[in-house]
Amino acid sequence: MTNCMIQRVFVSGLALSALAAGPALARGLPWSGCYVGAEAGYAWGRDSDSESVTATGAQSTYSPGSAANPNGMKAGGYVGCNYQVGNYVFGVEGDGEWANLNGYAAFSNTQTPADEYNPNITSEGSVRGRMGIALDRMLVYGTAGVAFANVKEHYVLNGASPQTTDISSGLTGWTAGVGLEYAFNSNLLGRVEYRYAGFDDLTTYPNVFPNYTENHSISESVVRVGISFKFN
């Protein structure tokens, strides 16, 4: 056997070994470890405002005719740690995001243009637990925990002398969802995730409506994609 033939056999053997070992390495790919990543997504939500007379608590006849539906983009980062036991993966994760979700709703008064409010969600975050099942290079998981949001309500009193009021508040709530994560290798992970979040009601007393109380119920759905680096 010539040296050329020996080299060809050797190279062919290495290639076959790599192909055979690939699935085995994938099956043994560990998910345990801490990671840091970046994410971006699109969110759509609901801001339902119920207006009442401050002095009596009675429902106002000028309540909004429909809920505002804030929607828009968000982006941020996340950090977490996983621990794998067999095919099961347990973890904890936190994230923080810049957001630009905007909506509009008109009050049901008879003037034209009608009074209105515009919700704007400017930032969000969460601290959650995660639990999933590792399937080769894929991790199917569920996640749930506490959520935070900064919300600004912009009220407009349209009339002979238009007036505006901005009221900002930090809200706390809960979030839960599901996701799919893929390990490109032992360190680089990609994911797609859906989460729902519901927040505590926001009660406001806008200056432009001095005799009325506004009570907002806010929720949202988000689809995100992310990529992270895991430290072995």
Side-chain angles (χ1 to χ4, degrees):
M1 183 178 294
T2 65
N3 289 336
C4 183
M5 292 178 63
I6 293 174
Q7 290 174 356
R8 289 179 180 177
V9 171
F10 181 71
V11 171
S12 299
L14 287 177
L16 290 173
S17 298
L19 289 173
L25 288 173
R27 286 193 295 271
L29 191 70
W31 286 92
S32 293
C34 295
Y35 54 89
V36 61
E39 61 188 5
Y42 180 80
W44 62 99
R46 186 176 180 85
D47 183 325
S48 300
D49 179 27
S50 176
E51 183 180 82
S52 61
V53 179
T54 304
T56 65
Q59 186 71 24
S60 167
T61 58
Y62 300 111
S63 290
S66 61
N69 298 305
N71 62 88
M73 302 298 296
K74 54 172 46 183
Y78 56 96
V79 61
C81 292
N82 291 327
Y83 182 71
Q84 184 172 355
V85 181
N87 287 335
Y88 295 97
V89 178
F90 305 90
V92 62
E93 183 175 287
D95 64 1
E97 296 177 316
W98 161 87
N100 187 28
L101 279 63
N102 296 285
Y104 165 85
F107 287 83
S108 55
N109 47 356
T110 57
Q111 70 181 30
T112 303
D115 299 336
E116 64 187 72
Y117 76 96
N118 310 99
N120 174 223
I121 301 176
T122 59
S123 63
E124 295 186 45
S126 70
V127 178
R128 295 165 285 104
R130 295 206 313 162
M131 184 173 68
I133 299 177
L135 304 171
D136 201 36
R137 288 181 177 267
M138 291 188 180
L139 176 67
V140 181
Y141 66 88
T143 183
V146 62
F148 312 94
N150 287 315
V151 180
K152 181 175 74 174
E153 298 288 352
H154 178 70
Y155 299 93
V156 181
L157 175 61
N158 286 305
S161 300
Q163 302 175 53
T164 63
T165 299
D166 289 330
I167 297 177
S168 297
S169 182
L171 302 181
T172 303
W174 62 274
T175 182
V178 294
L180 179 66
E181 202 156 16
Y182 183 80
F184 297 102
N185 54 45
S186 297
N187 301 106
L188 190 62
L189 312 175
R191 69 165 59 170
V192 59
E193 180 184 271
Y194 165 81
R195 285 212 322 260
Y196 176 89
F199 298 98
D200 295 340
D201 288 355
L202 170 61
T203 301
T204 66
Y205 307 90
N207 294 333
V208 296
F209 307 137
N211 299 318
Y212 299 99
T213 300
E214 312 295 331
N215 189 66
H216 296 264
S217 177
I218 300 172
S219 62
E220 71 165 26
S221 293
V222 187
V223 173
R224 298 176 176 86
V225 293
I227 190 163
S228 64
F229 181 87
K230 181 172 71 69
F231 304 92
N232 291 331

